[in-house]
Amino acid sequence: MLQRWLQKLNIEPILGTLIAILFMLLVVWAGLELYNWLRRRRLGEDADIEGPPYADLHVHSLHSDGTMDVKEIVRTARMAGVELLAVADHNVLAGSRELVRQAPKGMRFLSAVELDCVEGDCHLHVLGYGVDLQSEAFTAFVYAQRQALDGMSDTLITRMAENCDQVSLEAFHAFEPTPGVGGWKALEYLLEAGVTASLKEGMALYTAYGCRYQEAGFAGAKDTIDAIHAAGGKAVLAHPGISLEQEALEDMLEHLFALGLDGVECYYPGHSQQAERACLDSCRQHHALITAGSDCHGTFGDTAIGQNRVPIHKLELGDLLEKKP
């Protein structure tokens, strides 16, 4: 009787369709569970796998001013669900070289460095991705920028010594910083000398004593971009929403693209929505690279690896993933 009633109401085709839909949903669910199981096997049981694989292409190690070694960076990245990683230290290649040597399984990575440069009266940071870490010419260029950066600290200590008995250039040069403390040598020296109460307090002294990036001898933007290109890499402007005022942002991006800039770090924790949108629009207009980075410095900074939670598929990386680090 029930069968005749169902046939009369023509229910059987509907039930068949519902069963087919439920079966498809079950297959999709099983596929996602298998995918997540495989990711846990690769990344570790405590990894964040709630979203897609994430990218973080701007992390600092203790080789510059971060507090984490590369092993800790990789371990933290796995926990955050980051599967595309770059160590981009300030004007030094050691951290990126170490990441390449470790070649962590289940994770893709890019060779990288963050270079200080000056354009007009603007101090900028340019990220070099996919660079040849063994290039002698590029290594020399990076070293020259590091010398300019460290020279700012020599200038600071020299000027401070004129009216501060607690510091001297000789004592500063003899001082051995502690790896993993964070910041840079001068900040720890000033702290140990009793001049400052914290590492970050020393940063303001550079401005107070007139130590400007614009006068330190850094390369210009064009030379920096050209050096990255000569090393086989791509030049990406770091955190422009922080380095530049909003009203100057679009004009500077246009200027830098004309100089050969390849892309912009659009996704950045400190960017406003307006700055992020301006960067994305400019990149899409110029068919440029779009990257994401936390700028994590460990406990010396305020951001965490993978903080942006930007999926890899949202980036535009050109042929960078095809390059062998």
Side-chain angles (χ1 to χ4, degrees), residues 283-299:
C283 284
R284 287 164 182 158
Q285 178 184 347
H286 291 274
H287 306 287
L289 304 184
I290 294 172
T291 72
S294 66
D295 204 2
C296 176
H297 288 72
T299 57

PDB file of all heavy atoms in Angstrom, residues 283-299:
ATOM      1  N   CYS A 283      48.748  46.628  -8.522  1.00  0.00           N
ATOM      2  CA  CYS A 283      49.364  45.395  -9.013  1.00  0.00           C
ATOM      3  C   CYS A 283      48.571  44.797 -10.171  1.00  0.00           C
ATOM      4  O   CYS A 283      49.150  44.339 -11.165  1.00  0.00           O
ATOM      5  CB  CYS A 283      49.476  44.378  -7.881  1.00  0.00           C
ATOM      6  SG  CYS A 283      50.819  44.735  -6.717  1.00  0.00           S
ATOM      7  N   ARG A 284      47.263  44.791 -10.042  1.00  0.00           N
ATOM      8  CA  ARG A 284      46.446  44.205 -11.104  1.00  0.00           C
ATOM      9  C   ARG A 284      46.513  45.051 -12.375  1.00  0.00           C
ATOM     10  O   ARG A 284      46.503  44.522 -13.483  1.00  0.00           O
ATOM     11  CB  ARG A 284      45.011  44.050 -10.613  1.00  0.00           C
ATOM     12  CG  ARG A 284      44.877  42.903  -9.611  1.00  0.00           C
ATOM     13  CD  ARG A 284      43.615  42.929  -8.808  1.00  0.00           C
ATOM     14  NE  ARG A 284      43.581  41.823  -7.848  1.00  0.00           N
ATOM     15  CZ  ARG A 284      42.844  41.799  -6.763  1.00  0.00           C
ATOM     16  NH1 ARG A 284      42.049  42.834  -6.469  1.00  0.00           N
ATOM     17  NH2 ARG A 284      42.879  40.753  -5.942  1.00  0.00           N
ATOM     18  N   GLN A 285      46.614  46.353 -12.202  1.00  0.00           N
ATOM     19  CA  GLN A 285      46.742  47.232 -13.362  1.00  0.00           C
ATOM     20  C   GLN A 285      48.050  46.966 -14.104  1.00  0.00           C
ATOM     21  O   GLN A 285      48.101  47.026 -15.342  1.00  0.00           O
ATOM     22  CB  GLN A 285      46.689  48.696 -12.911  1.00  0.00           C
ATOM     23  CG  GLN A 285      46.853  49.697 -14.041  1.00  0.00           C
ATOM     24  CD  GLN A 285      46.883  51.136 -13.537  1.00  0.00           C
ATOM     25  OE1 GLN A 285      46.545  51.409 -12.383  1.00  0.00           O
ATOM     26  NE2 GLN A 285      47.295  52.055 -14.387  1.00  0.00           N
ATOM     27  N   HIS A 286      49.106  46.658 -13.355  1.00  0.00           N
ATOM     28  CA  HIS A 286      50.425  46.445 -13.956  1.00  0.00           C
ATOM     29  C   HIS A 286      50.747  44.958 -14.141  1.00  0.00           C
ATOM     30  O   HIS A 286      51.877  44.631 -14.518  1.00  0.00           O
ATOM     31  CB  HIS A 286      51.505  47.098 -13.090  1.00  0.00           C
ATOM     32  CG  HIS A 286      51.466  48.595 -13.105  1.00  0.00           C
ATOM     33  ND1 HIS A 286      52.101  49.346 -14.074  1.00  0.00           N
ATOM     34  CD2 HIS A 286      50.840  49.483 -12.282  1.00  0.00           C
ATOM     35  CE1 HIS A 286      51.891  50.628 -13.834  1.00  0.00           C
ATOM     36  NE2 HIS A 286      51.139  50.745 -12.752  1.00  0.00           N
ATOM     37  N   HIS A 287      49.776  44.085 -13.873  1.00  0.00           N
ATOM     38  CA  HIS A 287      49.982  42.636 -13.972  1.00  0.00           C
ATOM     39  C   HIS A 287      51.212  42.233 -13.157  1.00  0.00           C
ATOM     40  O   HIS A 287      52.072  41.471 -13.609  1.00  0.00           O
ATOM     41  CB  HIS A 287      50.150  42.204 -15.430  1.00  0.00           C
ATOM     42  CG  HIS A 287      49.022  42.655 -16.313  1.00  0.00           C
ATOM     43  ND1 HIS A 287      47.767  42.076 -16.261  1.00  0.00           N
ATOM     44  CD2 HIS A 287      48.953  43.645 -17.243  1.00  0.00           C
ATOM     45  CE1 HIS A 287      46.972  42.676 -17.132  1.00  0.00           C
ATOM     46  NE2 HIS A 287      47.668  43.637 -17.732  1.00  0.00           N
ATOM     47  N   ALA A 288      51.266  42.762 -11.934  1.00  0.00           N
ATOM     48  CA  ALA A 288      52.441  42.591 -11.073  1.00  0.00           C
ATOM     49  C   ALA A 288      52.217  41.489 -10.040  1.00  0.00           C
ATOM     50  O   ALA A 288      51.098  40.998  -9.840  1.00  0.00           O
ATOM     51  CB  ALA A 288      52.755  43.907 -10.374  1.00  0.00           C
ATOM     52  N   LEU A 289      53.295  41.113  -9.380  1.00  0.00           N
ATOM     53  CA  LEU A 289      53.229  40.106  -8.326  1.00  0.00           C
ATOM     54  C   LEU A 289      52.496  40.657  -7.107  1.00  0.00           C
ATOM     55  O   LEU A 289      52.605  41.846  -6.783  1.00  0.00           O
ATOM     56  CB  LEU A 289      54.634  39.667  -7.918  1.00  0.00           C
ATOM     57  CG  LEU A 289      55.558  39.130  -9.013  1.00  0.00           C
ATOM     58  CD1 LEU A 289      56.874  38.658  -8.396  1.00  0.00           C
ATOM     59  CD2 LEU A 289      54.894  38.017  -9.789  1.00  0.00           C
ATOM     60  N   ILE A 290      51.778  39.785  -6.435  1.00  0.00           N
ATOM     61  CA  ILE A 290      51.060  40.122  -5.201  1.00  0.00           C
ATOM     62  C   ILE A 290      51.522  39.151  -4.129  1.00  0.00           C
ATOM     63  O   ILE A 290      51.389  37.932  -4.285  1.00  0.00           O
ATOM     64  CB  ILE A 290      49.534  40.013  -5.391  1.00  0.00           C
ATOM     65  CG1 ILE A 290      49.047  41.069  -6.393  1.00  0.00           C
ATOM     66  CG2 ILE A 290      48.809  40.164  -4.057  1.00  0.00           C
ATOM     67  CD1 ILE A 290      47.580  40.919  -6.783  1.00  0.00           C
ATOM     68  N   THR A 291      52.095  39.673  -3.043  1.00  0.00           N
ATOM     69  CA  THR A 291      52.617  38.802  -1.998  1.00  0.00           C
ATOM     70  C   THR A 291      52.009  39.154  -0.638  1.00  0.00           C
ATOM     71  O   THR A 291      51.309  40.157  -0.491  1.00  0.00           O
ATOM     72  CB  THR A 291      54.154  38.884  -1.906  1.00  0.00           C
ATOM     73  OG1 THR A 291      54.534  40.150  -1.333  1.00  0.00           O
ATOM     74  CG2 THR A 291      54.798  38.724  -3.278  1.00  0.00           C
ATOM     75  N   ALA A 292      52.316  38.296   0.334  1.00  0.00           N
ATOM     76  CA  ALA A 292      51.816  38.472   1.701  1.00  0.00           C
ATOM     77  C   ALA A 292      52.927  38.159   2.675  1.00  0.00           C
ATOM     78  O   ALA A 292      53.724  37.239   2.464  1.00  0.00           O
ATOM     79  CB  ALA A 292      50.627  37.550   1.953  1.00  0.00           C
ATOM     80  N   GLY A 293      52.994  38.919   3.752  1.00  0.00           N
ATOM     81  CA  GLY A 293      54.006  38.660   4.771  1.00  0.00           C
ATOM     82  C   GLY A 293      53.605  39.208   6.121  1.00  0.00           C
ATOM     83  O   GLY A 293      52.907  40.223   6.206  1.00  0.00           O
ATOM     84  N   SER A 294      54.030  38.524   7.168  1.00  0.00           N
ATOM     85  CA  SER A 294      53.707  38.967   8.536  1.00  0.00           C
ATOM     86  C   SER A 294      54.740  39.943   9.076  1.00  0.00           C
ATOM     87  O   SER A 294      54.454  40.689  10.000  1.00  0.00           O
ATOM     88  CB  SER A 294      53.647  37.752   9.463  1.00  0.00           C
ATOM     89  OG  SER A 294      54.934  37.150   9.580  1.00  0.00           O
ATOM     90  N   ASP A 295      55.971  39.919   8.511  1.00  0.00           N
ATOM     91  CA  ASP A 295      57.077  40.720   9.045  1.00  0.00           C
ATOM     92  C   ASP A 295      57.359  40.325  10.490  1.00  0.00           C
ATOM     93  O   ASP A 295      57.734  41.157  11.330  1.00  0.00           O
ATOM     94  CB  ASP A 295      56.753  42.211   8.961  1.00  0.00           C
ATOM     95  CG  ASP A 295      57.999  43.093   8.929  1.00  0.00           C
ATOM     96  OD1 ASP A 295      59.115  42.544   8.942  1.00  0.00           O
ATOM     97  OD2 ASP A 295      57.856  44.335   8.903  1.00  0.00           O
ATOM     98  N   CYS A 296      57.194  39.042  10.779  1.00  0.00           N
ATOM     99  CA  CYS A 296      57.381  38.554  12.147  1.00  0.00           C
ATOM    100  C   CYS A 296      58.848  38.633  12.555  1.00  0.00           C
ATOM    101  O   CYS A 296      59.735  38.191  11.818  1.00  0.00           O
ATOM    102  CB  CYS A 296      56.884  37.113  12.246  1.00  0.00           C
ATOM    103  SG  CYS A 296      57.173  36.366  13.864  1.00  0.00           S
ATOM    104  N   HIS A 297      59.096  39.190  13.752  1.00  0.00           N
ATOM    105  CA  HIS A 297      60.432  39.260  14.334  1.00  0.00           C
ATOM    106  C   HIS A 297      60.507  38.442  15.616  1.00  0.00           C
ATOM    107  O   HIS A 297      61.393  38.662  16.449  1.00  0.00           O
ATOM    108  CB  HIS A 297      60.800  40.713  14.652  1.00  0.00           C
ATOM    109  CG  HIS A 297      61.077  41.570  13.466  1.00  0.00           C
ATOM    110  ND1 HIS A 297      60.084  41.996  12.604  1.00  0.00           N
ATOM    111  CD2 HIS A 297      62.241  42.088  12.981  1.00  0.00           C
ATOM    112  CE1 HIS A 297      60.626  42.757  11.660  1.00  0.00           C
ATOM    113  NE2 HIS A 297      61.928  42.817  11.864  1.00  0.00           N
ATOM    114  N   GLY A 298      59.595  37.505  15.809  1.00  0.00           N
ATOM    115  CA  GLY A 298      59.544  36.776  17.071  1.00  0.00           C
ATOM    116  C   GLY A 298      59.073  37.685  18.180  1.00  0.00           C
ATOM    117  O   GLY A 298      58.198  38.531  17.979  1.00  0.00           O
ATOM    118  N   THR A 299      59.684  37.572  19.352  1.00  0.00           N
ATOM    119  CA  THR A 299      59.243  38.380  20.496  1.00  0.00           C
ATOM    120  C   THR A 299      59.697  39.833  20.397  1.00  0.00           C
ATOM    121  O   THR A 299      59.262  40.667  21.199  1.00  0.00           O
ATOM    122  CB  THR A 299      59.779  37.777  21.809  1.00  0.00           C
ATOM    123  OG1 THR A 299      61.209  37.680  21.743  1.00  0.00           O
ATOM    124  CG2 THR A 299      59.198  36.398  22.040  1.00  0.00           C
TER     125      THR A 299
END
